[in-house]
């Protein structure tokens, strides 16, 4: 089971329901919506996609939308591409 965690080279700011994450190595800024920021906040220690999905379901009512594991994996892989998240050991 894959687990994910933050990389160490970032700065974050939360502004209302948006998060702004700066990769301090590449100076790239990534904006995250409320749910994306929530996912980000969970990754201070290694977490599996299944745990992240369960936490989202616990904390958000998403208007009858089902949170799909595949969607969260895709999001985390985008963050890996941006250099903000890595696979945990």
């Amino acid at each position: 089971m894959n687990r994910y965690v933050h990389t160490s080279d970032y700065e974050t700011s939360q502004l209302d329901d948006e998060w702004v994450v700066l990769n301090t190595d590449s100076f790239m800024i990534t904006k995250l919506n409320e749910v994306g920021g929530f996912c980000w906040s969970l990754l201070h220690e290694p977490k599996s996609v299944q745990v992240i999905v369960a936490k989202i379901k616990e904390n958000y009512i998403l208007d009858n939308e089902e949170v799909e594991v595949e969607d969260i994996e895709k999001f985390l892989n985008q963050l890996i591409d941006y250099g903000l998240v890595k696979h945990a050991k």
Side-chain angles (χ1 to χ4, degrees):
M1 177 179 353
N2 285 334
R3 295 184 326 144
Y4 301 85
V5 68
H6 293 153
T7 60
S8 59
D9 302 320
Y10 64 85
E11 298 281 330
T12 60
S13 294
Q14 184 178 4
L15 308 167
D16 296 322
D17 291 338
E18 288 189 335
W19 290 64
V20 178
V21 183
L22 170 64
N23 182 327
T24 55
D25 279 343
S26 67
F27 300 105
M28 187 166 81
I29 295 173
T30 304
K31 287 175 59 175
L32 305 174
N33 65 17
E34 184 177 5
V35 176
F38 178 74
C39 290
W40 170 262
S41 72
L42 296 173
L43 296 175
H44 60 276
E45 57 185 42
K47 297 276 188 302
S48 70
V49 174
Q50 291 77 12
V51 168
I52 294 169
V53 168
K55 296 277 186 191
I56 291 169
K57 288 179 179 180
E58 285 176 17
N59 288 282
Y60 291 94
I61 298 171
L62 298 174
D63 298 327
N64 297 323
E65 290 183 39
E66 189 63 29
V67 179
E68 299 291 336
V69 168
E70 294 82 17
D71 293 337
I72 301 303
E73 283 179 332
K74 183 178 176 181
F75 170 71
L76 293 170
N77 284 322
Q78 286 175 329
L79 294 181
I80 287 172
D81 290 344
Y82 300 155
L84 299 174
V85 169
K86 62 184 178 182
H87 289 282
K89 296 180 181 183

